Amino acid sequence: MAEEENGGSTEALPPPPPVPLNFSPAQAEPEPVKKKVLRVPMARRGLGSKGQKIPILTNHFKVNVSNVDGHFFHYSVALFYEDGRPVEGKGIGRKVLDRVHETYDTELAGKDFAYDGEKSLFTIGSLPRNKLEFTVVLDDITSNRNNGTNGNSSPGRHGSPPNETDRKRLRRPYQSKTYKVEISFAAKIPMQAIANALRGQESENSQEALRVLDIILRQHAAKQGCLLVRQSFFHNDPKNFADVGGGVLGCRGFHSSFRTTQSGLSLNIDVSTTMIIQPGPVVDFLIANQNAKDPFSLDWAKAKRVLKNLRVKTAPANQEFKITGLSEKPCREQMFTLKQKSKDEDGEVQTSEVTVYDYFVNHRNIDLRYSADLPCLNVGKPKRPTYFPIELCTLVSLQRYTKALSTFQRASLVEKSRQKPHERMQILSNALKINNYDAEPLLRSSGVSISSNFTQVDGRVLPAPKLKAGNGDDLFTRNGRWNFNNKRFFEPAKVERWAVVNFSARCDVRGLVRDLTRLGETKGISVEAPFEVFEESPQLRRAPPVVRVDKMFEEIQSKLPGAPKFLLCLLPERKNCDIYGPWKRKNLADHGIVTQCLAPGRVNDQYLTNLLLKINAKLGGLNSMLAAEISPSIPMVSKVPTMILGMDVSHGSPGQSDVPSIAAVVSSRQWPSISRYRASVRTQSPKVEMIDNIFKKVSDTDDDGIMRELLLDFYVSSGKRKPEHIIVFRDGVSESQFNQVLNIELDQLIEACNFLDEKWSPKFVIIVAQKNHHTKFFQSGSPDNVPPGTIIDNKVCHPRNNDFYLCAHAGMIGTTRPTHYHVLLDEVGFSPDELQELVHNLSYVYQRSTTAISIVAPISYAHLAATQVGQWMKFEDASETSSSHGGLTNAGPVTVPQLPRLQENVASSMFFC
């Protein structure tokens, strides 16, 4: 008997059968791992046909490639100093490779090459060997050997030598540097890949082949001395500069890039603008930058920050240096050790302590008019400073300004850089002639020829959707615009339990309230008399913004019988008012109070009517509605519960690497309406574009992600219906991120739905909207912009993918910029006409405006929500941030502060702020 572990017993079992001598046990097959199939952008299902046909010209120029049997050869480039250290700094690579090309033409078999400025080089046909090594010598023109006041130098080596011997010395090369260059074969790229891409067969090779052609364009521009910003090129021509204030210039240049389209390969050329530092005397730039009256009223701490790393040329030797800082003392007091040419009796080099001012005036005989009492520029190293009087220094041209522009600078840039359609066409035609790409040897060797004619495409103008105002009245749209003259709002709200707050703005408050009440009544809005008008104490006008807001709220709470529903806030400045951020946060996040800000300048009936549009929407009203929403008759959307999402991420200003990004998602509510939205906003890691809080599981039963609250709101507001279709409009992503949207963000959306109900599987439509592109459209034979509703889905669109361009709005100023929509996924099964009509309709439901807007309303709301909440972060009190939200730090990883949640009663209206 055998005793079992569970205490029971069984009879003895028979012995196992004998194992054959030649038997070998079979290995158990592991369970096959299910490999996730990655989603890719869908193919085009067809072209749209609705709308009135119109011939359109576009800034794509047809490209022919005759050498399709050739190959590009890709080589890796490695640069080293003489001692073997790798070259880290940018900018030197082109000079080194140009010297290689000049010096070793025979070893390169006379071949031209395209160099990307970093680690890649391309040739047409192979180089003689797979690995080549060269040594070149470059003169270091920014060397400190021949500079102003380096204490380890002698007078004869400072700037412009005063005697003949020193002038001869200058004829010798400056301090030179030796570089070692290694060129190694990396890959072979068939030009046939371009032809394959035009047939819709895109591959890594086709992308690389187009990249080579773009690199040839960049190198062509670099040889002309242009500033290169990706595929945009800027010539050093003052005619292209526009002063936008603050020592900053807008510099007009050209964007040039090759694109594969339905009609073949094309060259896309467009006007491009970048910001540069005002070239010329350093003092002139600083005075403009700080809006100072003269050099003696400058803030030098601020000047030090803005000047760091800028390049200057020094007089009279015309040498170029990079600014590393400022001297601690004024020029007449800043001492340095000067070595004399003569030696003492012991053979030691004699030295003396002199001031920078004394050295240049008395030793160099240079007249200094105003530098004596100003700091000097330091162009040396931290432990070995080299000083120049500031008036001898001029800023080199074409140095990019990468900080965020002020509101005034942006307005000035728009004003000075816009061109009417026919002006832009003329500029682009001239650019093609000036660039003279037909003379570029590498393009000729590639068999590339470029047409000089704008490509003609077939456009269609979609009819404007019908809009309804209050009492069932029609709103008549003309050229993408309408008005509420003698019309009531569709659903007017009631302005009650409200007050006026005046932050020291000069205004007739009683008159403003009277006019607002009168106009409100004509729109159907009942405006009760305000509880109170709160005037800011004059003593607080110079207090910090957060203090001013807190004090105002203390007064409001002490005088009102309860929390107000609405506060009208008068600000002293129309632009850049630092009260705005703290005020919005206090209202929306802390107290759940709807607020509307205004800066009372030119207040008239039109201004107040526009203000009432915002107020009505914020208080839960609706200004206008699509007739197709009321019927309801929107294809696919009206028949089945459909949720529409807008998604966007706002990042900190350029250079602010420690400011959290703001992710905003807005969703439609009260289906079958597509005019009502609410917002959900989160912070995430700086500069991260993919939204990482769509689904955020914190326990088996709890999801703290963005989508959960939006899905629940849709369910409650839509008669307890779950959306069967979810249409997502995503802003701000490039083609290289499409797969991440499809395989990361979409997965999170699906997880959020399944977490609420694992049996629930809604169908998704994913559409990316892009405004940051360089395709423009022009009416053939007309100086006007294309009419609103113009749609293009042929010729200049992708040869395979489902994309189209839409100009929904009327371009009143400059040249209309179309929105480029990419349909990445459509599980619902829209026809091309149905989807294009839906996108067009969504450009007419933006409640803050009486015009069609350039991009669908859900994205406009998401962008507005993200940027407005970004104001809270921008104006956050530092002590409050560190104590309440985890804090931001420059040392180590950035801690992302969490935003306070919006109060429920303002979550559906905060983005109308």
Side-chain angles (χ1 to χ4, degrees):
M1 301 293 287
E3 202 70 29
E4 286 199 329
E5 287 182 7
N6 62 4
S9 63
T10 63
E11 294 181 6
L13 297 172
V19 178
L21 293 174
N22 59 350
F23 174 79
S24 61
Q27 189 171 355
E29 288 290 328
E31 282 279 329
V33 178
K34 281 190 178 180
K35 204 172 184 181
K36 182 187 172 185
V37 178
L38 293 179
R39 305 180 190 95
V40 295
M42 67 176 288
R44 186 185 303 280
R45 289 176 179 160
L47 300 177
S49 59
K50 283 190 176 179
Q52 181 183 348
K53 292 185 178 178
I54 178 175
I56 298 289
L57 296 176
T58 182
N59 58 336
H60 286 242
F61 300 85
K62 187 170 178 58
V63 175
N64 288 314
V65 183
S66 58
N67 186 15
V68 291
D69 297 326
H71 288 82
F72 292 120
F73 282 75
H74 177 194
Y75 293 87
S76 296
V77 176
L79 303 181
F80 303 92
Y81 293 111
E82 195 171 13
D83 59 7
R85 289 180 297 118
V87 175
E88 303 287 352
K90 289 186 177 181
I92 193 65
R94 287 193 188 278
K95 293 175 184 175
V96 172
L97 267 293
D98 284 346
R99 184 58 58 91
V100 167
H101 192 256
E102 294 166 11
T103 311
Y104 297 99
D105 184 62
T106 305
E107 288 81 352
L108 295 168
K111 281 196 175 295
D112 291 315
F113 54 70
Y115 175 55
D116 71 350
E118 294 184 12
K119 296 183 178 179
S120 291
L121 176 150
F122 300 88
T123 60
I124 297 162
S126 65
L127 292 174
R129 294 198 304 277
N130 281 350
K131 185 160 186 178
L132 296 162
E133 295 184 4
F134 303 110
T135 301
V136 294
V137 178
L138 281 190
D139 297 338
D140 184 5
I141 61 166
T142 61
S143 157
N144 285 342
R145 172 178 285 188
N146 294 11
N147 60 29
T149 61
N150 188 320
N152 295 322
S153 300
S154 62
R157 290 185 176 178
H158 296 287
S160 178
N163 56 45
E164 186 62 29
T165 305
D166 292 318
R167 271 192 283 273
K168 288 178 181 176
R169 184 182 288 123
L170 267 187
R171 292 181 193 142
R172 298 207 305 262
Y174 299 123
Q175 182 176 346
S176 59
K177 282 187 179 176
T178 301
Y179 297 90
K180 294 179 181 177
V181 184
E182 291 182 2
I183 300 175
S184 310
F185 173 75
K188 187 178 177 182
I189 306 162
M191 293 187 195
Q192 182 65 38
I194 297 173
N196 295 343
L198 297 174
R199 292 195 293 269
Q201 302 167 6
E202 275 200 294
S203 65
E204 198 171 315
N205 272 340
S206 61
Q207 292 169 2
E208 277 295 289
L210 287 179
R211 178 174 164 242
V212 176
L213 293 179
D214 282 344
I215 287 169
I216 292 172
L217 297 184
R218 281 175 60 83
Q219 181 169 280
H220 182 80
K223 287 180 177 177
Q224 297 176 42
C226 291
L227 167 65
L228 310 182
V229 183
R230 294 180 290 278
Q231 285 301 127
S232 293
F233 318 128
F234 303 91
H235 290 267
N236 187 16
D237 184 349
K239 291 198 299 290
N240 296 331
F241 300 163
D243 188 349
V244 300
V248 180
L249 307 181
C251 179
R252 191 179 73 194
F254 302 99
H255 167 91
S256 296
S257 64
F258 288 97
R259 309 277 296 181
T260 51
T261 66
Q262 289 178 30
S263 61
L265 187 64
S266 70
L267 179 65
N268 178 208
I269 298 183
D270 192 21
V271 175
S272 186
T273 304
T274 194
M275 310 316 298
I276 62 170
I277 294 288
Q278 172 184 308
V282 172
V283 164
D284 290 355
F285 163 70
L286 291 175
I287 289 172
N289 183 250
Q290 297 186 22
N291 195 25
K293 59 182 179 180
D294 56 49
F296 307 103
S297 52
L298 290 169
D299 178 341
W300 290 103
K302 185 177 179 182
K304 183 177 180 179
R305 289 194 300 271
V306 78
L307 289 176
K308 189 171 174 63
N309 293 326
L310 293 181
R311 301 190 315 278
V312 289
K313 282 192 174 180
T314 58
N318 204 34
Q319 290 176 253
E320 190 174 313
F321 299 94
K322 183 183 284 187
I323 300 171
T324 56
L326 299 176
S327 62
E328 294 180 1
K329 297 178 180 179
C331 186
R332 70 163 76 247
E333 297 175 20
Q334 184 63 53
M335 307 291 292
F336 75 100
T337 304
L338 177 66
K339 290 184 179 179
Q340 305 292 338
K341 293 181 70 175
S342 58
K343 296 182 180 180
D344 62 15
E345 296 173 356
D346 300 325
E348 297 289 332
V349 175
Q350 291 184 310
T351 62
S352 61
E353 292 292 316
V354 298
T355 66
V356 176
Y357 181 83
D358 179 48
Y359 169 71
F360 277 93
V361 171
N362 298 320
H363 291 70
R364 299 285 303 280
N365 298 319
I366 296 173
D367 181 33
L368 297 179
R369 292 177 294 114
Y370 58 81
S371 293
D373 296 312
L374 303 179
C376 305
L377 293 189
N378 181 7
V379 297
K381 296 179 180 177
K383 293 184 179 179
R384 194 180 174 189
T386 302
Y387 298 117
F388 278 97
I390 200 163
E391 70 182 86
L392 300 183
C393 303
T394 58
L395 287 161
V396 174
S397 191
L398 295 182
Q399 298 191 74
R400 285 188 75 197
Y401 180 82
T402 56
K403 295 180 175 62
L405 295 181
S406 70
T407 308
F408 297 108
Q409 287 173 323
R410 282 197 303 272
S412 178
L413 178 65
V414 170
E415 173 70 30
K416 294 179 179 180
S417 62
R418 64 192 181 201
Q419 300 107 16
K420 292 178 180 177
H422 65 279
E423 292 173 342
R424 185 173 287 243
M425 288 185 75
Q426 187 62 52
I427 289 168
L428 296 180
S429 294
N430 291 340
L432 198 57
K433 292 174 187 172
I434 292 166
N435 285 318
N436 193 21
Y437 289 132
D438 288 338
E440 168 55 52
L442 283 165
L443 289 180
R444 282 210 312 269
S445 302
S446 307
V448 168
S449 60
I450 301 165
S451 167
S452 59
N453 298 320
F454 288 76
T455 298
Q456 183 163 323
V457 298
D458 303 320
R460 292 174 288 117
V461 181
L462 301 179
K466 291 181 179 178
L467 293 171
K468 290 287 186 179
N471 298 331
D473 290 346
D474 291 322
L475 285 169
F476 298 102
T477 58
R478 183 179 178 185
N479 198 30
R481 308 173 79 85
W482 61 95
N483 64 59
F484 280 94
N485 293 344
N486 305 314
K487 297 279 196 300
R488 294 163 69 90
F489 292 151
F490 187 83
E491 281 184 15
K494 190 173 183 180
V495 180
E496 57 186 354
R497 287 173 53 198
W498 71 292
V500 181
V501 171
N502 185 8
F503 282 101
S504 304
R506 293 179 181 177
C507 176
D508 174 10
V509 179
R510 303 295 172 189
L512 177 67
V513 171
R514 184 178 60 250
D515 290 342
L516 200 63
T517 303
R518 171 179 57 82
L519 282 168
E521 287 175 359
T522 67
K523 305 305 168 201
I525 296 178
S526 171
V527 183
E528 292 183 354
F531 276 141
E532 185 74 58
V533 174
F534 294 95
E535 297 280 357
E536 183 181 43
S537 169
Q539 289 84 1
L540 289 170
R541 289 180 185 177
R542 297 190 181 277
V546 173
V547 173
R548 294 173 71 181
V549 169
D550 287 344
K551 291 292 185 185
M552 184 64 78
F553 256 89
E554 286 174 13
E555 190 175 352
I556 291 170
Q557 289 171 326
S558 69
K559 289 188 178 180
L560 292 186
K565 281 188 175 180
F566 172 66
L567 290 174
L568 183 67
C569 175
L570 309 184
L571 299 176
E573 298 149 357
R574 185 162 175 238
K575 306 286 186 182
N576 287 341
C577 184
D578 54 6
I579 296 170
Y580 183 85
W583 174 256
K584 287 293 183 184
R585 180 197 169 110
K586 195 80 170 176
N587 280 272
L588 298 176
D590 296 353
H591 295 281
I593 299 171
V594 175
T595 179
Q596 175 63 51
C597 295
L598 75 152
R602 299 175 185 171
V603 176
N604 53 30
D605 282 6
Q606 183 60 56
Y607 181 92
L608 292 177
T609 300
N610 291 339
L611 199 72
L612 285 166
L613 289 172
K614 298 181 181 181
I615 293 171
N616 189 52
K618 292 178 182 186
L619 293 173
L622 205 58
N623 301 323
S624 61
M625 208 169 186
L626 296 173
E629 290 180 86
I630 303 167
S631 331
S633 55
I634 302 172
M636 300 292 196
V637 173
S638 297
K639 294 178 182 176
V640 176
T642 301
M643 182 185 203
I644 299 176
L645 300 178
M647 301 167 60
D648 190 25
V649 178
S650 173
H651 306 291
S653 301
Q656 293 182 318
S657 59
D658 58 352
V659 174
S661 294
I662 311 289
V665 182
V666 304
S667 67
S668 60
R669 57 202 311 268
Q670 296 185 27
W671 176 83
S673 172
I674 62 170
S675 292
R676 302 176 190 270
Y677 293 85
R678 71 163 279 154
S680 185
V681 187
R682 299 285 194 282
T683 51
Q684 60 185 42
S685 298
K687 309 299 181 188
V688 173
E689 182 56 48
M690 290 299 114
I691 301 175
D692 59 13
N693 278 314
I694 295 173
F695 172 69
K696 189 177 181 182
K697 183 179 177 181
V698 291
S699 72
D700 289 341
T701 57
D702 197 9
D703 164 22
D704 193 34
I706 290 174
M707 271 306 288
R708 179 183 176 86
E709 62 184 82
L710 298 178
L711 289 167
L712 292 175
D713 177 76
F714 181 92
Y715 179 77
V716 171
S717 68
S718 304
K720 296 192 174 178
R721 294 183 182 92
K722 288 183 247 182
E724 295 180 34
H725 298 163
I726 299 178
I727 302 172
V728 181
F729 287 94
R730 181 65 161 94
D731 187 29
V733 294
S734 62
E735 281 93 335
S736 63
Q737 296 169 312
F738 285 178
N739 287 342
Q740 293 179 62
V741 172
L742 281 172
N743 295 289
I744 298 175
E745 291 187 343
L746 178 55
D747 278 354
Q748 286 193 61
L749 290 167
I750 293 169
E751 283 183 279
C753 295
N754 292 342
F755 195 79
L756 282 171
D757 181 353
E758 60 185 19
K759 295 179 182 177
W760 175 33
S761 297
K763 293 179 179 177
F764 285 90
V765 177
I766 309 291
I767 302 172
V768 169
Q770 292 178 332
K771 293 279 287 182
N772 190 21
H773 60 82
H774 288 277
T775 296
K776 301 290 189 298
F777 297 109
F778 309 91
Q779 285 200 71
S780 182
S782 170
D784 298 327
N785 272 307
V786 296
T790 299
I791 194 162
I792 291 97
D793 60 1
N794 61 85
K795 289 193 178 177
V796 291
C797 292
H798 196 278
R800 172 196 174 274
N801 296 351
N802 189 1
D803 66 327
F804 60 90
Y805 293 90
L806 174 63
C807 300
H809 64 302
M812 308 303 289
I813 298 171
T815 304
T816 299
R817 178 182 297 218
T819 299
H820 192 182
Y821 291 98
H822 302 261
V823 186
L824 304 187
L825 177 72
D826 178 10
E827 296 176 335
V828 173
F830 282 96
S831 72
D833 280 325
E834 288 169 342
L835 195 57
Q836 290 170 9
E837 188 174 11
L838 173 63
V839 171
H840 187 224
N841 286 349
L842 284 168
S843 302
Y844 279 77
V845 300
Y846 189 61
Q847 297 297 308
R848 294 165 57 97
S849 176
T850 54
T851 65
I853 57 175
S854 65
I855 199 166
V856 290
I859 282 181
S860 290
Y861 288 143
H863 177 73
L864 193 58
T867 52
Q868 298 254 333
V869 172
Q871 297 288 315
W872 300 356
M873 310 300 292
K874 180 179 176 182
F875 292 112
E876 187 89 274
D877 179 44
S879 61
E880 182 185 342
T881 303
S882 60
S883 63
S884 303
H885 306 289
L888 296 178
T889 175
N890 289 321
V894 175
T895 303
V896 180
Q898 294 304 306
L899 288 171
R901 296 298 168 83
L902 299 173
Q903 295 284 329
E904 187 60 32
N905 59 314
V906 296
S908 61
S909 65
M910 60 76 60
F911 45 82
F912 292 106
C913 308

